[in-house]
Structure formats: structure tokens, C-alpha cells
Amino acid sequence: MHRELKTTIVNNINFHGPIGNYQYIEHVDNYHHYKDGEYVEAEEVKEERVKNLQEVVWLSMSEGLWWASTAWAVVYRIYQMKGYKGNISQFILAVSQWVWNKEPDFACTYDAIQKPIASGKMIGNIEKWQGNGATEQMIRLGNYLLEHLK
């Protein structure tokens, strides 16, 4: 993710030489802000990402890429690859708050996500999944999500 940096010299102090160049760096970013020692996603960007995720999930369901509730495990893993930091329970809570035009055929439950992930089939990048024993359906859905998620 691209971050713009704005450098401000504090008290007009700018050391050179073996000591280094001590400057105060203020991070300016449309996507993140610094809070409690770490970058956190700005709320409006988070809402946009969640909306995009819901749209892509719905499209993938509409295109017949879903076979069971365990497809949610693929969604969760791909969303993690895209930067999601929440745990499974937080993800399920977020999905439960989505508004659907038509209720999906497959429920997003803890077991539907946890069991496939615990199996080790979706460890690492998607290129490694097949070697880990992931099914072709998992890989196809994963690639679709990677391609369509912002």
C-alpha cells in the first residue's frame, strides 16, 4: 500500500554524519492513520472494502462458485491476504450484519471457517494450496476473489 510521507524537521535540528539524520516523520495517508503504535485502517476505507467484499462474495455465489458453507473459509483466507486482521469470530459478526437482497444458500459459521483452515489446506499463498490438499473448488473461488477484490 502506498504511503505518502511528509518530513518535518523538529526544532530545525538536522544532524548529519555518522550520528545520522534525525528528523521527525509524520505519516499522511488516505488509507491508514497511526493509532496506539500501529497503523489502523481509516473507517471510510474499511467500509468501502467491506462493501466490495460483500459484492464480490455475492457475485461469486451468483456465478456458481460456491459448493458449501466451507466456501466462507476461502473468503476469510483471501480477505486476510488482502489485509484483514480480524479473527474468525469478528469476521462472522461482520458478515452477519451484511444486508442481502436474497438470503445466501450457505451460512457463515465458525465451524465452516475454522475446520477447513485448521486442516492446513489454505496455508500460504494460493499457489501453495493445491500442494496442501485444497480442492479445485477452493482454488477456483480463491482466484476469483483475488482477482475481483480491491
Side-chain angles (χ1 to χ4, degrees):
M1 202 163 286
H2 174 68
R3 292 192 174 104
E4 294 179 23
L5 298 178
K6 182 174 92 179
T7 303
T8 307
I9 299 173
V10 177
N11 295 330
N12 216 12
I13 300 172
N14 192 358
F15 295 102
H16 297 283
I19 301 173
N21 187 350
Y22 295 93
Q23 296 180 346
Y24 171 76
I25 299 176
E26 176 185 341
H27 296 274
V28 180
D29 188 321
N30 291 332
Y31 300 102
H32 293 79
H33 60 275
Y34 202 67
K35 179 181 179 185
D36 299 328
E38 63 183 55
Y39 279 101
V40 292
E41 197 167 22
E43 197 60 37
E44 59 274 2
V45 173
K46 188 182 291 185
E47 288 173 18
E48 182 181 315
R49 284 171 39 104
V50 169
K51 183 179 177 189
N52 173 245
L53 176 64
Q54 184 179 1
E55 290 171 357
V56 172
V57 165
W58 182 254
L59 286 172
S60 66
M61 288 176 176
S62 301
E63 293 191 23
L65 296 173
W66 286 58
W67 64 97
S69 291
T70 56
W72 283 108
V74 176
V75 174
Y76 177 73
R77 280 293 296 126
I78 297 299
Y79 203 41
Q80 283 182 314
M81 289 179 194
K82 291 288 190 171
Y84 181 69
K85 304 283 188 234
N87 63 34
I88 294 172
S89 296
Q90 292 167 324
F91 179 78
I92 293 167
L93 178 61
V95 169
S96 73
Q97 296 171 357
W98 289 358
V99 177
W100 300 91
N101 292 332
K102 173 189 169 261
E103 200 61 34
D105 294 332
F106 305 106
C108 182
T109 65
Y110 189 84
D111 283 345
I113 297 173
Q114 191 274 333
K115 287 182 180 181
I117 289 178
S119 73
K121 294 177 181 179
M122 291 180 279
I123 293 175
N125 292 330
I126 198 163
E127 294 82 24
K128 297 180 181 179
W129 289 12
Q130 189 169 20
N132 295 337
T135 66
E136 190 60 40
Q137 292 170 316
M138 293 171 145
I139 295 167
R140 192 175 320 118
L141 177 59
N143 282 322
Y144 181 91
L145 295 169
L146 280 173
E147 182 180 326
H148 290 86
L149 285 173
K150 294 178 183 175

